Amino acid sequence: MANGGPVQHGFPHLETVRASITALYKRLSYDTVQTFATSVVPADVAFCDTDDLYLGAQRVARELVRHYRLPDARLIVSFREMTHAANVELAAGPEYFVELNDRFRTHRRDIGAALAHEVMHVYLHRLGLSFPGTRDNEILTDTATTYLGAGWLLLDAYREDSASSQKLGYLTPEEFGYVLAKRALVFAEDPSVWFTSPQAYTAYVKGLAEARRDEQQPPLTAAGWAGRRRYAHDRRHAQGDRGAGVRPGVPYSFTPDGRGPLRVSFPCPTCQQRIRVPVRGRVRARCGLCRTVLECDT
Ligand SMILES: [Zn+2]
Ligand SMILES: [Zn+2]
């Protein structure tokens, strides 16, 4: 897990974040994702400065192991001077060694956030789910941590004032907010009540707006006027020359599959898996991966 440096903002990793959500649904299935309907609650990972450092860290690690349902995994937490915030050794198990940066000795309230990410590494390792390259794999880890109910801790560890800033993980605060909002929309959860950091709350609001935009893209009926107008124009174009294909910046694409009727494909707003439906006015589709029912006006 990375540490320090200036805090990056916005949505620079959105494509990989979305691919991570799709990969999670594919690997875990809808039913397993549904078992994570409840997030880690603040009381379970609370850590105050009067708690014993090692016993407290072990207790929080056990709580996260329980949350991710890794029954026989045992985490051994230690502290040392290092450049990274934290690190986990991904061996065969059932014992896994996690090292936390020495600074957590005096920043105990963020130990839960660091462990949420490191224990997710163990979870994904056991699932055999990974992305090639460190950057993408870390984005997958942050996204999975957040989508499965422990990532609000990482966003809440983001704090900024005139003198200093702190952020954990590879996603920007807004991207953590986005994944948290995607999860909140699926499970009808309101994570904003858990934030102790005002900056985390602001980032969540921005992420939520981005997540809502996913649900307002044509051909979904919730699309706004401008989107619908552009869609109608693109559809006319596709019907005219039968050579539509993908247009940059537009999430949908038309496929004139030979002599067959025109079809439109677009990402599912929940899991980002591409859905394909015929172009014939109002269509109700159901995503095969996450089971979201989609009202479309094609
Ligand atoms: Zn990591
Ligand atoms: Zn879906």
Side-chain angles (χ1 to χ4, degrees):
M1 178 184 274
N3 194 16
V7 177
Q8 199 180 11
H9 285 281
F11 300 93
H13 314 109
L14 202 51
E15 204 179 311
T16 312
V17 166
R18 286 173 170 157
S20 301
I21 294 174
T22 313
L24 262 187
Y25 272 100
K26 281 188 173 160
R27 185 66 187 81
L28 292 181
S29 83
Y30 165 84
D31 289 317
T32 305
V33 171
Q34 286 297 310
T35 64
F36 288 93
T38 308
S39 286
V40 170
V41 296
D44 288 344
V45 289
F47 203 140
C48 66
D49 286 341
T50 52
D51 286 346
D52 179 85
L53 181 64
Y54 290 92
L55 290 178
Q58 293 296 149
R59 174 179 55 78
V60 173
R62 260 199 315 277
E63 194 51 50
L64 289 159
V65 162
R66 191 197 57 75
H67 177 78
Y68 295 138
R69 295 180 197 85
L70 292 166
D72 60 335
R74 275 202 299 134
L75 270 88
I76 319 291
V77 185
S78 62
F79 296 82
R80 74 172 172 92
E81 210 184 306
M82 58 201 279
T83 47
H84 281 75
N87 187 49
V88 63
E89 198 181 305
L90 293 174
E95 282 187 339
Y96 299 91
F97 294 89
V98 181
E99 293 174 324
L100 297 181
N101 190 299
D102 260 340
R103 76 183 167 85
F104 286 109
R105 289 174 185 274
T106 50
H107 291 86
R108 297 186 185 186
R109 67 169 172 174
D110 295 326
I111 286 178
L115 288 176
H117 176 99
E118 299 307 324
V119 181
M120 179 48 77
H121 270 302
V122 174
Y123 182 82
L124 294 174
H125 173 69
R126 287 192 160 193
L127 274 181
L129 179 59
S130 65
F131 278 178
T134 304
R135 171 196 176 272
D136 286 5
N137 205 48
E138 292 296 342
I139 290 169
L140 169 68
T141 306
D142 277 340
T143 303
T145 306
T146 307
Y147 206 81
L148 301 183
W152 68 268
L153 287 162
L154 284 159
L155 178 52
D156 197 41
Y158 163 54
R159 276 173 232 114
E160 231 169 328
D161 58 41
S162 53
S164 67
S165 69
Q166 173 191 277
K167 192 188 78 72
L168 292 174
Y170 286 72
L171 302 190
T172 67
E174 292 77 16
E175 287 166 341
F176 273 118
Y178 172 80
V179 183
L180 206 49
K182 300 299 273 185
R183 173 188 163 78
L185 293 169
V186 166
F187 294 114
E189 194 176 53
D190 180 13
S192 65
V193 295
W194 299 322
F195 294 132
T196 59
S197 156
Q199 291 83 14
Y201 178 76
T202 306
Y204 175 67
V205 170
K206 288 182 181 162
L208 179 59
E210 188 69 26
R212 288 237 164 89
R213 261 194 290 281
D214 289 348
E215 298 183 333
Q216 294 162 358
Q217 295 297 322
L220 299 171
T221 52
W225 177 83
R228 294 225 57 83
R229 214 172 91 110
R230 190 191 58 204
Y231 179 85
H233 171 270
D234 291 344
R235 183 182 53 205
R236 264 198 309 280
H237 197 261
Q239 279 163 338
D241 64 13
R242 294 303 212 163
V246 180
R247 222 173 61 140
V250 165
Y252 53 81
S253 61
F254 295 97
T255 39
D257 35 21
R259 301 140 297 278
L262 193 68
R263 291 152 78 86
V264 61
S265 82
F266 60 97
C268 166
T270 302
C271 73
Q272 312 296 324
Q273 166 93 322
R274 283 194 88 82
I275 312 279
R276 183 171 295 160
V277 294
V279 172
R280 57 151 192 255
R282 296 284 274 218
V283 175
R284 175 179 286 175
R286 191 177 191 215
C287 174
L289 191 55
C290 75
R291 303 190 188 173
T292 304
V293 175
L294 305 162
E295 302 290 345
C296 313
D297 189 352
T298 59

